[in-house]
Amino acid sequence: MITGLTERPAEEMPATPPEASETQLRDLARKRALASNQDIGFDVAQAVREAQSGASSFGADGGDDGDVGVLREVMQPPAVPDNDFAEECQTSAAAANDRVGYIKNRMQWCGTYRLTAAAVDPKRPGFMSMTFVVVGYGRDDGVRDIHFFLRPMSVVFFGSLTAADSLSFGIDCYHDTPGCSESGDHRRTLGEWLVHAGTKTWSPFVLSSDANTDQPDKMRFHPFAIEYQFKTLLPNYVRDDTTNEPLDYFVRCDSADYFGTRTAACIFHDVLPHLTYPVLNADGSDSPVKEVAQHIQDAFANPNETRPHRLDGLKNIPGNYDAATETNYLQRVPYKGTEWNENSAEKDLACQGQWPYTDTGIPLEDRPTDEQDCDEYPFASTLQGAAARRFRSMPVDFSVRAVLRTQNRSAGGQVPNFYRDDRILYRENDWFWVRIVPRADAGTADGPIVSVASKVEGSEGQPIQLYATLRTESAETGITWTVAGTDGNDPGATCSFDNPHNLQPKITCSDDGVYHATLTVDDGVHPPVSRSTEVTVHNIPPQVSITRPAPWQVFRVGTPVEVTAPFTDAANDTHTCEVSWDDSTTTQSAPTGRVCTQTHTFASAGMYTIQVAVTDDDGGTGTANVMVVVYDPEGGFLTDGGVISSPAGAFPAGPEHTGKLIIQAAVKYQPGESGPVPGTGRLAADLEGGEMKLQSTGFEWLVVSPTGKVAVKGVGTVGGQAGYGFLFYGDDDPDGLRLVVWRLGDNTIPNDQIVYDNRPSSHDLDESSLTAMATGAIQIHD
């Protein structure tokens, strides 16, 4: 499930049932498309260009199904998405807010989403937020599949959610509809997804569809879902979701045989396909289809004023996109088929005032001249055409009017192209509409056309990409970005752009909160156009390091231990330092500059993991740890002799090896010694049959805690070879021990060159795991 996908109440956008027939899926897709009603369909500018090209030639009947005209090329999915379409998606409100996403046309779909996850463990807080875009491409080149591409736009994570945590995405056949198959998911770490956001790298997915031989046109409908899995296990994390089901979208695949070489196709079906006619060109001049557009416009607005008049009631002329419902659609029928011929004959009767239209058809003075055609609406190629009411008992009517032949043929030339390009199937398998617009949006005569992404997000102190698109005819258009805070921002919070005169700059804010960035475009001719985007800036916890003390640094009991911890954070935050000393003592202080400094004296020997926590004024906490060793030369000494059962995995050179580990030890501070090196000591260990024979050659420190635990660190030989370090941990109640041996190399503390470790765990004495002794005992003496 993906958050931020819908703002519609559930009852307005029907959900997909787990089991549905092809007919139910088709009808559900229509209901969802009607609920969405996105402004898409046949391209107006393309229609105008085709009409002006004079590429089509039709007969006096309008030729609305002639097998001619300028067609778009067969659609095939690209290897990678078109950047312009991706940017268009990022600035589309439908992509961000509509349950069905942004459907540019039946061949292009996209959506922008936000996914969040948060840790619920208060000791290890963490958060992840990702915004991403998904684009999809249909095809009509004879292959029944749909291609999708996913790309993160921003990735934010901190705390216990790290770059190593993984997140997978998939485009799945929702409810496992028959005949649908999918490619595999993509699992990457958050660090890898972050890199993909920076490099704008896409991850591809494919859904494939088998032909359904039991359905007309071998048609199948497939709902698909964007699904994800965060990590492999989720015991300590919750995902910020708003629904209990994956959100699904519709594709339709068919193998209709009446599209020429386009023998099979898959398209996005959550759409109201419509043919658009403009009354005027973008520059205000008459469009080449003006008279046809006005005819259809009048038929929609004043149907009872059109010819033929209806004597037995009000006319109901279907297909108005601006009033699209489940009852006023149009349906395509075969060219020159029975319905087409009936419609054409009925239209001719009305145009010539012949029975039954002697008194209601076009009067003699308004009938077509030599330069005119008789235009009809609905088209002859529709089931709702002129003969529908008479021959098919359908509750619809029609309109005829004399229009210029050139305009009728230009308008008629768009219909077969629309059928092919929008993959309009015959009869019940498809609905479509017609839209009349006052001007073709083919240019910018009314001023700049500006879009910005409705929302973006990122982290405080880090650049956040803004997305915008612009169409303008002026080469001198001015571009300016400004930013304003909201009531919830902390005093002193600021934001800046890397270039406020760039169309798509980056914005950096000094503190978390919500800001409004506004793009203003001024072409010097029309009134300036402004569009705003909401910038959500997440708080990033301080990043803490400890420079003093050094890891494993050794102190004598009673010696002050000073902690110095510098940190980084957004410029506008204030902070509190808290140090947990691991001896039930916690101290707080204010930092000096961006450095926490505190001092503490330990009263007893032990190994202490000191944690520094820096909390900012927005509740974000960053931490860092360091372990120190505190010894007491008067705290006691160790003697040990005995055997443990060495488990499998303890000896990496022989991972399956098990057997006895025999160990003897005696380590002691002599009276008057200041340490930390014990004056007396010996430790020997022999792994039965394992070729691991340790002999101490020197000691570095001895820790005997008041709770009866002991730790010793030293160096020695293994098999007579020098260059090894060792740690011995013991407890006298119950008797147990742990031995860690490693190759020293350049590191005097345990590293990845482990030779032996019978209980891998924390190196802190209080948290180290021990193996019970089979024979013998550990003695800790005062």
Side-chain angles (χ1 to χ4, degrees), residues 622-655:
T623 62
N625 300 323
V626 65
M627 189 181 73
V628 298
V629 178
V630 178
Y631 72 97
D632 182 359
E634 299 177 359
F637 63 95
L638 160 73
T639 59
D640 169 54
V643 176
I644 65 168
S645 296
S646 181
F651 183 48

Side-chain angles (χ1 to χ4, degrees), residues 128-178:
M128 185 280 296
S129 175
M130 177 188 291
T131 58
F132 59 95
V133 58
V134 183
V135 299
Y137 290 91
R139 64 193 309 166
D140 60 359
D141 62 344
V143 179
R144 293 176 57 129
D145 66 29
I146 292 271
H147 286 227
F148 298 91
F149 301 86
L150 181 148
R151 188 188 81 195
M153 295 183 290
S154 66
V155 183
V156 177
F157 53 87
F158 49 79
S160 57
L161 281 169
T162 70
D165 289 314
S166 64
L167 173 64
S168 69
F169 283 101
I171 308 294
D172 296 337
C173 301
Y174 190 35
H175 289 317
D176 297 323
T177 53

Side-chain angles (χ1 to χ4, degrees), residues 78-155:
V80 294
D82 176 67
N83 286 331
D84 290 341
F85 179 45
E87 291 185 3
E88 183 179 345
C89 181
Q90 290 163 351
T91 60
S92 167
N97 299 323
D98 200 327
R99 183 182 175 100
V100 297
Y102 167 50
I103 309 176
K104 184 174 183 179
N105 50 54
R106 283 189 156 187
M107 294 295 174
Q108 291 178 287
W109 167 91
C110 73
T112 57
Y113 310 105
R114 180 187 177 203
L115 170 66
T116 62
V120 297
D121 185 349
K123 294 183 179 180
R124 300 193 69 231
F127 178 78
M128 185 280 296
S129 175
M130 177 188 291
T131 58
F132 59 95
V133 58
V134 183
V135 299
Y137 290 91
R139 64 193 309 166
D140 60 359
D141 62 344
V143 179
R144 293 176 57 129
D145 66 29
I146 292 271
H147 286 227
F148 298 91
F149 301 86
L150 181 148
R151 188 188 81 195
M153 295 183 290
S154 66
V155 183

Side-chain angles (χ1 to χ4, degrees), residues 291-523:
E291 292 190 6
V292 174
Q294 288 178 326
H295 175 205
I296 299 174
Q297 187 176 54
D298 292 342
F300 290 155
N302 302 294
N304 293 310
E305 301 299 321
T306 63
R307 295 286 181 160
H309 292 319
R310 181 173 177 179
L311 301 178
D312 58 347
L314 300 178
K315 294 175 73 171
N316 178 21
I317 296 180
N320 184 359
Y321 171 82
D322 292 323
T325 69
E326 293 183 56
T327 59
N328 81 333
Y329 51 82
L330 300 177
Q331 295 165 286
R332 180 188 177 191
V333 296
Y335 176 61
K336 295 294 186 180
T338 299
E339 295 95 346
W340 191 96
N341 290 326
E342 289 176 351
N343 288 335
S344 296
E346 196 74 9
K347 178 260 296 184
D348 289 340
L349 294 176
C351 289
Q352 298 302 320
Q354 300 179 21
W355 189 91
Y357 307 106
T358 306
D359 298 323
T360 60
I362 297 180
L364 181 61
E365 64 273 17
D366 293 331
R367 291 173 189 169
T369 66
D370 292 341
E371 297 180 349
Q372 292 179 312
D373 282 341
C374 187
D375 181 42
E376 69 193 286
Y377 181 82
F379 311 125
S381 58
T382 65
L383 196 64
Q384 293 75 19
R389 187 167 185 269
R390 181 177 177 188
F391 291 99
R392 292 181 285 283
S393 300
M394 298 180 69
V396 297
D397 256 311
F398 69 101
S399 174
V400 292
R401 178 182 295 180
V403 300
L404 284 173
R405 178 170 291 119
T406 55
Q407 297 207 5
N408 187 46
R409 296 182 179 186
S410 292
Q414 309 315 311
V415 179
N417 298 353
F418 164 68
Y419 287 160
R420 289 178 177 88
D421 290 351
D422 274 33
R423 194 76 180 185
I424 304 299
L425 300 179
Y426 286 156
R427 300 185 180 89
E428 249 333 282
N429 287 337
D430 240 332
W431 296 351
F432 72 94
W433 289 261
V434 176
R435 187 180 192 186
I436 306 302
V437 295
R439 295 167 71 102
D441 187 14
T444 56
D446 292 327
I449 299 175
V450 182
S451 296
V452 299
S454 58
K455 295 180 180 180
V456 296
E457 64 179 304
S459 303
E460 60 182 2
Q462 299 179 9
I464 302 170
Q465 181 69 59
L466 298 177
Y467 299 96
T469 59
L470 167 65
R471 282 192 289 167
T472 179
E473 291 180 343
S474 173
E476 303 298 328
T477 298
I479 296 173
T480 304
W481 282 91
T482 57
V483 61
T486 59
D487 293 340
N489 299 133
D490 289 346
T494 61
C495 297
S496 61
F497 301 93
D498 60 350
N499 183 351
H501 304 297
N502 191 340
L503 183 61
Q504 296 192 7
K506 294 181 179 179
I507 185 173
T508 303
C509 298
S510 65
D511 200 6
D512 66 315
V514 176
Y515 304 84
H516 292 145
T518 300
L519 169 63
T520 300
V521 176
D522 187 355
D523 65 0

Side-chain angles (χ1 to χ4, degrees), residues 638-643 731-732 735 773 775-779:
L638 160 73
T639 59
D640 169 54
V643 176
D731 193 336
D732 64 355
D735 290 311
M773 297 184 68
T775 60
I778 292 176
Q779 298 291 329

Side-chain angles (χ1 to χ4, degrees), residues 488-753:
N489 299 133
D490 289 346
T494 61
C495 297
S496 61
F497 301 93
D498 60 350
N499 183 351
H501 304 297
N502 191 340
L503 183 61
Q504 296 192 7
K506 294 181 179 179
I507 185 173
T508 303
C509 298
S510 65
D511 200 6
D512 66 315
V514 176
Y515 304 84
H516 292 145
T518 300
L519 169 63
T520 300
V521 176
D522 187 355
D523 65 0
V525 178
H526 303 89
V529 178
S530 295
R531 298 288 185 270
S532 294
T533 183
E534 184 178 276
V535 182
T536 300
V537 181
H538 298 288
N539 181 57
I540 296 296
Q543 305 299 303
V544 187
S545 61
I546 297 176
T547 58
R548 183 186 300 176
W552 295 74
Q553 188 170 341
V554 182
F555 297 88
R556 184 172 178 171
V557 166
T559 301
V561 177
E562 180 181 299
V563 167
T564 301
F567 62 89
T568 59
D569 200 4
N572 198 55
D573 286 347
T574 59
H575 304 86
T576 300
C577 303
E578 181 177 272
V579 181
S580 299
W581 298 97
D582 199 20
D583 62 353
S584 300
T585 302
T586 300
T587 55
Q588 293 184 339
S589 65
T592 301
R594 292 300 173 95
V595 179
C596 296
T597 303
Q598 294 188 30
T599 302
H600 182 69
T601 301
F602 291 97
S604 58
M607 299 173 72
Y608 299 95
T609 300
I610 304 169
Q611 181 182 78
V612 179
V614 181
T615 302
D616 62 27
D617 56 348
D618 299 305
T621 300
T623 62
N625 300 323
V626 65
M627 189 181 73
V628 298
V629 178
V630 178
Y631 72 97
D632 182 359
E634 299 177 359
F637 63 95
L638 160 73
T639 59
D640 169 54
V643 176
I644 65 168
S645 296
S646 181
F651 183 48
E656 304 300 323
H657 179 80
T658 59
K660 296 179 180 179
L661 177 72
I662 304 170
I663 190 165
Q664 293 179 330
V667 187
K668 180 179 181 180
Y669 287 107
Q670 296 293 340
E673 286 184 342
S674 60
V677 177
T680 301
R682 178 180 178 277
L683 185 146
D686 187 2
L687 177 61
E688 179 183 33
E691 300 180 357
M692 201 292 294
K693 183 173 292 186
L694 171 69
Q695 180 68 51
S696 64
T697 57
F699 293 90
E700 297 177 14
W701 46 259
L702 165 66
V703 170
V704 179
S705 74
T707 59
K709 295 182 178 182
V710 63
V712 177
K713 184 173 184 290
V715 295
T717 62
V718 172
Q721 299 293 318
Y724 293 86
F726 67 84
L727 277 166
F728 174 85
Y729 299 90
D731 193 336
D732 64 355
D733 186 19
D735 290 311
L737 63 84
R738 175 188 177 192
L739 178 66
V740 183
V741 182
W742 70 96
R743 292 182 179 88
L744 286 172
D746 297 328
N747 200 341
T748 62
I749 61 177
N751 52 43
D752 58 357
Q753 298 295 310

